[in-house]
Amino acid sequence: MSHRLSEELSDAVSRAALEPDAWHDVMELMSERFPSAAQTFYFLHLEPRRVRPVRLVGVAPRWVETFDSLYFASDNPWIRMTGRLHRPGIVRTNERLDRLLGEDGALYRSSYYNDWMRPQGFRYTIGCTLLAESGLVANITLLREPDRPTFDEGEVADFERLSRLMTRSLQTGVRLERAENDQVGIRALDALPRAVALVDAEQRLVYANREMDALLRVRRGLEVHQGALRAVWYEAQPRLGACIEGALSADVNAATAPASVLLTPPGQPAQVLHATPVAGTLGRYLPARRLVLLMVIGGETDPRASCDELRRCYGFTLAEARLAQSLAGGRGLRQAAAELGIAYGTAKVCLKTVFQKAGVHSQAELVARMLRITTALK
């Protein structure tokens, strides 16, 4: 590799940690050092089995649509050996795959090769995994035509050195993204004076604010068992599970209030848990998580501020207040637009004004701000 190209590649990879668009430069420079018909950067979601492209050059959209069914086929040796090959620090080539399997040409007998690679004019590959955690794998793969030679030892050695830099860069970017997302969400929820928690679809506790921590310590209505949130009163436990499941699977286009469940038995002060679906942040790298925001309240059926309250507090128009209420109820922007009978483009413009007037930058912050208003009005 020439000194100039090495310096440019190193610089682009370093910039990618803070500037995701720099991966475009990385891929272009890689095609110069490792001449190939296609350069791909993508995330594999092992469950469900699907690909999420980040940067694809040389692969037509129609072939992206057929990738999942063929790549995850049982006869694809890359998938058969995924536990050993899809790990940071492992550089993959066709020849290394043969040596690992102890047989020649296994890839060329697979449907992935014959129905996906070969029709596009690909035969040789070189690739590496930059991230592998919780069923999510980030891969860089270059594909070369059959009329070129396979990737030689010099190219493999250069690719190995580069893969170490790319791995550090991507993992740094993911850590920064996770920190940014957590900081925004936690800052918004920490400000609430009521007990608030975030749980995932399996009821695992993702976050609890100060008030919720205090409630959990004394087992007042709720407790944490093996990382999952559960009701102390045994009769409330199935209702809690149904409440969380309902918040995630409810028809979000219906104008219904978010689910609630009574946590306390008869004869004790009423303690109601209110559930609202909140879409996890879909960032540059990390996939969205299905989360539920739980708030313990004193018997109210819906702790959100009314449209009139929002108009008084923030100067919203009626349309803006209705959109804010819909979003705070867990709807996505497209779903909220459909519910309100407005175009998606109109909703996007309205959302910018809502965020600006409320002084927030995300749906999670908007939910927290609206709940905080309601508390102040009680």
Side-chain angles (χ1 to χ4, degrees), residues 100-138:
L100 182 63
L101 292 170
E103 58 179 297
D104 293 334
L107 175 64
Y108 304 130
R109 294 189 292 273
S110 69
S111 56
Y112 168 64
Y113 174 77
N114 287 290
D115 296 337
W116 196 86
M117 288 182 61
R118 189 167 66 173
Q120 296 182 79
F122 306 146
R123 181 173 178 84
Y124 304 112
T125 65
I126 188 168
C128 63
T129 293
L130 309 184
L131 177 76
E133 59 176 55
S134 303
L136 184 68
V137 173

Side-chain angles (χ1 to χ4, degrees), residues 46-354:
L46 300 182
E47 286 295 338
R49 297 185 165 195
R50 60 184 177 84
V51 65
R52 177 161 61 91
V54 177
R55 175 70 171 169
L56 302 180
V57 178
V59 179
R62 70 186 184 92
W63 291 107
V64 177
E65 294 175 1
T66 63
F67 180 86
D68 292 354
S69 60
L70 295 170
Y71 186 82
F72 288 104
S74 59
D75 68 342
N76 183 3
W78 295 120
I79 283 298
R80 280 164 43 201
M81 305 302 294
T82 186
R84 298 181 64 177
L85 292 175
H86 288 140
R87 293 183 294 154
I90 305 296
V91 171
R92 301 180 296 274
T93 65
N94 297 22
E95 294 74 24
R96 289 186 171 187
L97 177 62
D98 286 347
R99 289 198 295 270
L100 182 63
L101 292 170
E103 58 179 297
D104 293 334
L107 175 64
Y108 304 130
R109 294 189 292 273
S110 69
S111 56
Y112 168 64
Y113 174 77
N114 287 290
D115 296 337
W116 196 86
M117 288 182 61
R118 189 167 66 173
Q120 296 182 79
F122 306 146
R123 181 173 178 84
Y124 304 112
T125 65
I126 188 168
C128 63
T129 293
L130 309 184
L131 177 76
E133 59 176 55
S134 303
L136 184 68
V137 173
N139 281 346
I140 295 273
T141 303
L142 310 182
L143 301 113
R144 182 173 279 178
E145 313 92 318
D147 56 355
R148 289 180 182 269
T150 188
F151 295 92
D152 62 34
E153 292 183 3
E155 289 175 309
V156 172
D158 282 347
F159 196 90
E160 285 180 329
R161 285 191 291 271
L162 185 60
S163 72
R164 290 191 289 270
L165 296 176
M166 293 190 296
T167 297
R168 286 197 295 270
S169 181
L170 178 63
Q171 292 181 352
T172 297
V174 167
R175 284 196 298 271
L176 290 172
E177 179 179 313
R178 185 175 283 123
E180 289 169 2
N181 293 342
D182 289 347
Q183 183 181 18
V184 169
I186 289 173
R187 186 170 60 245
L189 297 176
D190 270 341
L192 292 174
R194 285 177 170 165
V196 172
L198 285 173
V199 298
D200 63 16
E202 285 72 44
Q203 295 184 218
R204 288 190 298 263
L205 185 64
V206 175
Y207 162 80
N209 69 354
R210 250 189 334 268
E211 286 72 16
M212 181 64 80
D213 274 335
L215 184 150
L216 292 172
R217 279 197 299 271
V218 299
R219 300 179 66 248
R220 186 178 165 214
L222 294 168
E223 63 181 355
V224 177
H225 180 69
Q226 295 182 348
L229 195 70
R230 55 186 286 177
V232 173
W233 181 32
Y234 73 96
E235 289 190 17
Q237 178 55 33
R239 301 175 198 168
L240 174 62
C243 176
I244 293 172
E245 183 179 351
L248 289 170
S249 62
D251 179 4
V252 292
N253 288 316
T256 57
S260 299
V261 61
L262 181 66
L263 295 175
T264 50
Q268 293 188 15
Q271 190 177 23
V272 176
L273 183 138
H274 176 90
T276 300
V278 177
T281 303
L282 178 61
R284 299 176 293 261
Y285 305 121
L286 302 175
R289 287 192 295 176
R290 298 172 67 227
L291 301 176
V292 176
L293 185 149
L294 303 176
M295 173 178 279
V296 176
I297 54 181
E300 303 95 331
T301 57
D302 188 346
R304 292 176 299 168
S306 69
C307 285
D308 287 341
E309 290 165 346
L310 288 173
R311 295 179 72 183
R312 288 197 302 270
C313 290
Y314 294 122
F316 288 159
T317 65
L318 180 58
E320 291 164 355
R322 287 175 175 170
L323 179 63
Q325 267 239 320
S326 186
L327 293 173
R331 281 93 169 147
L333 187 58
R334 287 189 184 278
Q335 296 158 341
E339 177 183 289
L340 299 175
I342 60 177
Y344 177 63
T346 302
K348 286 179 67 177
V349 173
C350 188
L351 179 64
K352 291 181 180 179
T353 306
V354 167

Side-chain angles (χ1 to χ4, degrees), residues 4-5 8-9 12-13 15 21-36 38-41 55-58 140-142 162 166:
R4 174 199 62 82
L5 185 54
E8 289 184 3
L9 261 170
V13 171
R15 285 189 289 110
D21 287 345
W23 285 108
H24 298 183
D25 299 333
V26 172
M27 303 304 284
E28 288 181 6
L29 291 166
M30 288 184 71
S31 68
E32 184 178 343
R33 170 59 188 98
F34 312 97
S36 46
Q39 305 84 44
T40 65
F41 178 17
R55 175 70 171 169
L56 302 180
V57 178
I140 295 273
T141 303
L142 310 182
L162 185 60
M166 293 190 296

